[in-house]
Amino acid sequence: LVDQLVVQPPLLVLMFVCLDVLRANIRASIGQFREANVVGKALSAAGPAVVDSWRFWPFAVYFTFKYLKKKHYTVALNLCSVAWTAYLAKGGGGGGDAASD
């Protein structure tokens, strides 16, 4: 619970900042960084992403521990992690408006 409420939101903001920096192809200029409003976009995208993660991860963990054998836990949760990362990179949770950049 602490992980979901305290640790995850700042890490999601950081991830969205990094994604927007990579997408916007910002060239080491602080002025361009501010003009692109990278931090503002990341903050607005983090809220919906946190809510989506609260929907996804409890189900993924429940399903893994309830229905799979112990030897498959790591593989199953790693596959869930890959799917979650792909979802976020595609713009899930309100982030990743690469088409508008």
Side-chain angles (χ1 to χ4, degrees):
L1 184 62
V2 172
D3 176 53
Q4 292 287 317
L5 296 175
V6 177
V7 176
Q8 182 191 29
L11 291 177
L12 279 173
V13 169
L14 177 64
M15 187 207 68
F16 281 119
V17 167
C18 291
L19 281 174
D20 280 347
V21 166
L22 292 172
R23 284 188 185 132
N25 230 358
I26 296 176
R27 292 180 173 77
S29 169
I30 299 298
Q32 287 178 338
F33 187 80
R34 288 184 184 148
E35 287 174 17
N37 193 23
V38 172
V39 175
K41 289 178 187 176
L43 287 172
S44 66
V50 168
V51 172
D52 288 346
S53 76
W54 289 343
R55 292 180 186 143
F56 176 78
W57 283 109
F59 171 76
V61 171
Y62 173 78
F63 177 82
T64 299
F65 290 115
K66 177 80 173 171
Y67 297 107
L68 297 179
K69 295 179 182 178
K70 281 188 179 181
K71 66 180 182 178
H72 300 300
Y73 288 177
T74 303
V75 173
L77 290 175
N78 282 339
L79 289 173
C80 289
S81 181
V82 168
W84 177 250
T85 302
Y87 169 74
L88 290 176
K90 283 286 214 179
D97 53 346
S100 67
D101 285 341

